[in-house]
Amino acid sequence: MKEYTVIYEWGKRNWSAYVPDLPGCIATGKTRKGIEHRIREAIEFHIEGMKARGEEVPEPSIEAGTVTVGVE
């Protein structure tokens, strides 16, 4: 099993998600819970496609975090 970082973003009407380590691997959905399911499926499909084309599947290398700052 591999654990990839996923970036979730809320837009005007829906959620979107992408995987920085897997360029082109994206998903959209109406809820955060729904997008989590859809991006998991997208990752699996993306990796299957890479393997079918004989491409090397990249190891997870991106990390994300948050920083709290005081803004007035």
Side-chain angles (χ1 to χ4, degrees):
M1 293 207 115
K2 295 182 182 186
E3 187 173 294
Y4 288 97
T5 298
V6 176
I7 305 300
Y8 297 97
E9 298 176 331
W10 172 248
K12 292 182 180 181
R13 296 187 177 122
N14 66 341
W15 284 90
S16 63
Y18 67 95
V19 183
D21 282 317
L22 301 171
C25 185
I26 62 170
T28 62
K30 292 187 179 195
T31 66
R32 172 65 189 264
K33 185 176 180 178
I35 194 63
E36 290 173 5
H37 176 74
R38 294 188 77 182
I39 195 65
R40 181 176 290 107
E41 290 179 337
I43 291 168
E44 291 169 352
F45 183 73
H46 193 87
I47 290 173
E48 285 175 18
M50 292 180 77
K51 288 179 177 180
R53 291 186 301 273
E55 297 175 9
E56 184 176 334
V57 177
E59 291 296 320
S61 65
I62 303 294
E63 294 183 24
T66 59
V67 176
T68 303
V69 296
V71 179
E72 296 184 35

PDB file of all heavy atoms in Angstrom, residues 19 25 30 32 34 40 43 47 50 57-59 64 67 69-70:
ATOM      1  N   VAL A  19      -3.849  14.964  -6.859  1.00  0.00           N
ATOM      2  CA  VAL A  19      -2.735  14.256  -6.229  1.00  0.00           C
ATOM      3  C   VAL A  19      -1.441  14.772  -6.858  1.00  0.00           C
ATOM      4  O   VAL A  19      -1.136  14.440  -8.006  1.00  0.00           O
ATOM      5  CB  VAL A  19      -2.871  12.729  -6.446  1.00  0.00           C
ATOM      6  CG1 VAL A  19      -1.769  11.979  -5.730  1.00  0.00           C
ATOM      7  CG2 VAL A  19      -4.241  12.250  -6.005  1.00  0.00           C
ATOM      8  N   CYS A  25      -4.195  13.294 -12.076  1.00  0.00           N
ATOM      9  CA  CYS A  25      -5.122  12.516 -11.264  1.00  0.00           C
ATOM     10  C   CYS A  25      -5.972  13.490 -10.449  1.00  0.00           C
ATOM     11  O   CYS A  25      -5.502  14.089  -9.474  1.00  0.00           O
ATOM     12  CB  CYS A  25      -4.359  11.562 -10.340  1.00  0.00           C
ATOM     13  SG  CYS A  25      -5.452  10.468  -9.417  1.00  0.00           S
ATOM     14  N   LYS A  30     -19.682  16.820  -4.968  1.00  0.00           N
ATOM     15  CA  LYS A  30     -20.496  17.818  -4.274  1.00  0.00           C
ATOM     16  C   LYS A  30     -20.204  17.912  -2.782  1.00  0.00           C
ATOM     17  O   LYS A  30     -20.446  18.946  -2.170  1.00  0.00           O
ATOM     18  CB  LYS A  30     -21.971  17.535  -4.499  1.00  0.00           C
ATOM     19  CG  LYS A  30     -22.379  17.755  -5.928  1.00  0.00           C
ATOM     20  CD  LYS A  30     -23.867  17.650  -6.116  1.00  0.00           C
ATOM     21  CE  LYS A  30     -24.171  17.908  -7.583  1.00  0.00           C
ATOM     22  NZ  LYS A  30     -25.573  18.171  -7.821  1.00  0.00           N
ATOM     23  N   ARG A  32     -17.455  16.785   0.641  1.00  0.00           N
ATOM     24  CA  ARG A  32     -16.089  16.380   1.001  1.00  0.00           C
ATOM     25  C   ARG A  32     -16.009  14.865   1.130  1.00  0.00           C
ATOM     26  O   ARG A  32     -15.075  14.238   0.640  1.00  0.00           O
ATOM     27  CB  ARG A  32     -15.686  17.061   2.310  1.00  0.00           C
ATOM     28  CG  ARG A  32     -14.378  16.606   2.910  1.00  0.00           C
ATOM     29  CD  ARG A  32     -13.177  16.943   2.026  1.00  0.00           C
ATOM     30  NE  ARG A  32     -11.993  16.308   2.536  1.00  0.00           N
ATOM     31  CZ  ARG A  32     -11.099  16.883   3.325  1.00  0.00           C
ATOM     32  NH1 ARG A  32     -11.238  18.127   3.681  1.00  0.00           N
ATOM     33  NH2 ARG A  32     -10.046  16.216   3.729  1.00  0.00           N
ATOM     34  N   GLY A  34     -17.883  12.658  -0.343  1.00  0.00           N
ATOM     35  CA  GLY A  34     -17.997  12.092  -1.686  1.00  0.00           C
ATOM     36  C   GLY A  34     -16.716  12.209  -2.472  1.00  0.00           C
ATOM     37  O   GLY A  34     -16.320  11.279  -3.184  1.00  0.00           O
ATOM     38  N   ARG A  40     -10.067   8.433  -4.312  1.00  0.00           N
ATOM     39  CA  ARG A  40      -9.477   7.104  -4.085  1.00  0.00           C
ATOM     40  C   ARG A  40      -9.640   6.251  -5.350  1.00  0.00           C
ATOM     41  O   ARG A  40      -8.699   5.606  -5.805  1.00  0.00           O
ATOM     42  CB  ARG A  40     -10.127   6.420  -2.883  1.00  0.00           C
ATOM     43  CG  ARG A  40      -9.524   5.040  -2.598  1.00  0.00           C
ATOM     44  CD  ARG A  40     -10.096   4.386  -1.353  1.00  0.00           C
ATOM     45  NE  ARG A  40      -9.637   5.099  -0.158  1.00  0.00           N
ATOM     46  CZ  ARG A  40     -10.413   5.904   0.593  1.00  0.00           C
ATOM     47  NH1 ARG A  40     -11.672   6.080   0.311  1.00  0.00           N
ATOM     48  NH2 ARG A  40      -9.908   6.498   1.649  1.00  0.00           N
ATOM     49  N   ILE A  43      -7.279   7.544  -8.073  1.00  0.00           N
ATOM     50  CA  ILE A  43      -5.892   7.132  -7.854  1.00  0.00           C
ATOM     51  C   ILE A  43      -5.696   5.693  -8.327  1.00  0.00           C
ATOM     52  O   ILE A  43      -4.732   5.391  -9.041  1.00  0.00           O
ATOM     53  CB  ILE A  43      -5.494   7.285  -6.371  1.00  0.00           C
ATOM     54  CG1 ILE A  43      -5.432   8.764  -5.994  1.00  0.00           C
ATOM     55  CG2 ILE A  43      -4.162   6.594  -6.086  1.00  0.00           C
ATOM     56  CD1 ILE A  43      -5.339   9.023  -4.496  1.00  0.00           C
ATOM     57  N   ILE A  47      -3.258   4.685 -11.476  1.00  0.00           N
ATOM     58  CA  ILE A  47      -2.130   3.767 -11.311  1.00  0.00           C
ATOM     59  C   ILE A  47      -2.288   2.544 -12.216  1.00  0.00           C
ATOM     60  O   ILE A  47      -1.313   2.088 -12.830  1.00  0.00           O
ATOM     61  CB  ILE A  47      -1.957   3.372  -9.834  1.00  0.00           C
ATOM     62  CG1 ILE A  47      -1.447   4.593  -9.047  1.00  0.00           C
ATOM     63  CG2 ILE A  47      -1.012   2.187  -9.675  1.00  0.00           C
ATOM     64  CD1 ILE A  47      -1.394   4.406  -7.551  1.00  0.00           C
ATOM     65  N   MET A  50      -1.193   3.620 -15.617  1.00  0.00           N
ATOM     66  CA  MET A  50       0.257   3.759 -15.706  1.00  0.00           C
ATOM     67  C   MET A  50       0.910   2.392 -15.874  1.00  0.00           C
ATOM     68  O   MET A  50       1.797   2.215 -16.709  1.00  0.00           O
ATOM     69  CB  MET A  50       0.813   4.460 -14.458  1.00  0.00           C
ATOM     70  CG  MET A  50       0.413   5.911 -14.340  1.00  0.00           C
ATOM     71  SD  MET A  50       1.105   6.686 -12.865  1.00  0.00           S
ATOM     72  CE  MET A  50       2.783   6.918 -13.428  1.00  0.00           C
ATOM     73  N   VAL A  57       5.309   3.684 -11.537  1.00  0.00           N
ATOM     74  CA  VAL A  57       4.424   4.389 -10.610  1.00  0.00           C
ATOM     75  C   VAL A  57       5.300   5.102  -9.584  1.00  0.00           C
ATOM     76  O   VAL A  57       6.106   4.473  -8.903  1.00  0.00           O
ATOM     77  CB  VAL A  57       3.467   3.406  -9.906  1.00  0.00           C
ATOM     78  CG1 VAL A  57       2.594   4.134  -8.890  1.00  0.00           C
ATOM     79  CG2 VAL A  57       2.609   2.677 -10.938  1.00  0.00           C
ATOM     80  N   PRO A  58       5.161   6.435  -9.488  1.00  0.00           N
ATOM     81  CA  PRO A  58       6.031   7.176  -8.573  1.00  0.00           C
ATOM     82  C   PRO A  58       5.726   6.878  -7.106  1.00  0.00           C
ATOM     83  O   PRO A  58       4.570   6.628  -6.739  1.00  0.00           O
ATOM     84  CB  PRO A  58       5.725   8.641  -8.895  1.00  0.00           C
ATOM     85  CG  PRO A  58       4.379   8.637  -9.511  1.00  0.00           C
ATOM     86  CD  PRO A  58       4.233   7.310 -10.184  1.00  0.00           C
ATOM     87  N   GLU A  59       6.765   6.877  -6.324  1.00  0.00           N
ATOM     88  CA  GLU A  59       6.607   6.753  -4.885  1.00  0.00           C
ATOM     89  C   GLU A  59       6.036   8.061  -4.353  1.00  0.00           C
ATOM     90  O   GLU A  59       6.341   9.134  -4.875  1.00  0.00           O
ATOM     91  CB  GLU A  59       7.959   6.467  -4.211  1.00  0.00           C
ATOM     92  CG  GLU A  59       8.522   5.100  -4.510  1.00  0.00           C
ATOM     93  CD  GLU A  59       7.650   3.980  -3.980  1.00  0.00           C
ATOM     94  OE1 GLU A  59       7.116   4.105  -2.855  1.00  0.00           O
ATOM     95  OE2 GLU A  59       7.480   2.979  -4.695  1.00  0.00           O
ATOM     96  N   ALA A  64       2.084  17.561   2.998  1.00  0.00           N
ATOM     97  CA  ALA A  64       1.340  18.798   3.199  1.00  0.00           C
ATOM     98  C   ALA A  64       1.180  19.039   4.688  1.00  0.00           C
ATOM     99  O   ALA A  64       1.203  18.108   5.491  1.00  0.00           O
ATOM    100  CB  ALA A  64      -0.023  18.710   2.527  1.00  0.00           C
ATOM    101  N   VAL A  67      -0.139  25.793   8.700  1.00  0.00           N
ATOM    102  CA  VAL A  67       0.565  26.731   9.571  1.00  0.00           C
ATOM    103  C   VAL A  67      -0.451  27.736  10.079  1.00  0.00           C
ATOM    104  O   VAL A  67      -1.238  28.285   9.298  1.00  0.00           O
ATOM    105  CB  VAL A  67       1.683  27.467   8.792  1.00  0.00           C
ATOM    106  CG1 VAL A  67       2.350  28.506   9.657  1.00  0.00           C
ATOM    107  CG2 VAL A  67       2.691  26.477   8.247  1.00  0.00           C
ATOM    108  N   VAL A  69      -1.245  31.345  11.610  1.00  0.00           N
ATOM    109  CA  VAL A  69      -0.653  32.679  11.724  1.00  0.00           C
ATOM    110  C   VAL A  69      -1.696  33.640  12.266  1.00  0.00           C
ATOM    111  O   VAL A  69      -2.897  33.476  12.051  1.00  0.00           O
ATOM    112  CB  VAL A  69      -0.116  33.182  10.362  1.00  0.00           C
ATOM    113  CG1 VAL A  69       1.020  32.306   9.864  1.00  0.00           C
ATOM    114  CG2 VAL A  69      -1.215  33.247   9.324  1.00  0.00           C
ATOM    115  N   GLY A  70      -1.227  34.649  12.954  1.00  0.00           N
ATOM    116  CA  GLY A  70      -2.134  35.681  13.454  1.00  0.00           C
ATOM    117  C   GLY A  70      -2.319  36.752  12.396  1.00  0.00           C
ATOM    118  O   GLY A  70      -1.370  37.402  11.983  1.00  0.00           O
TER     119      GLY A  70
END
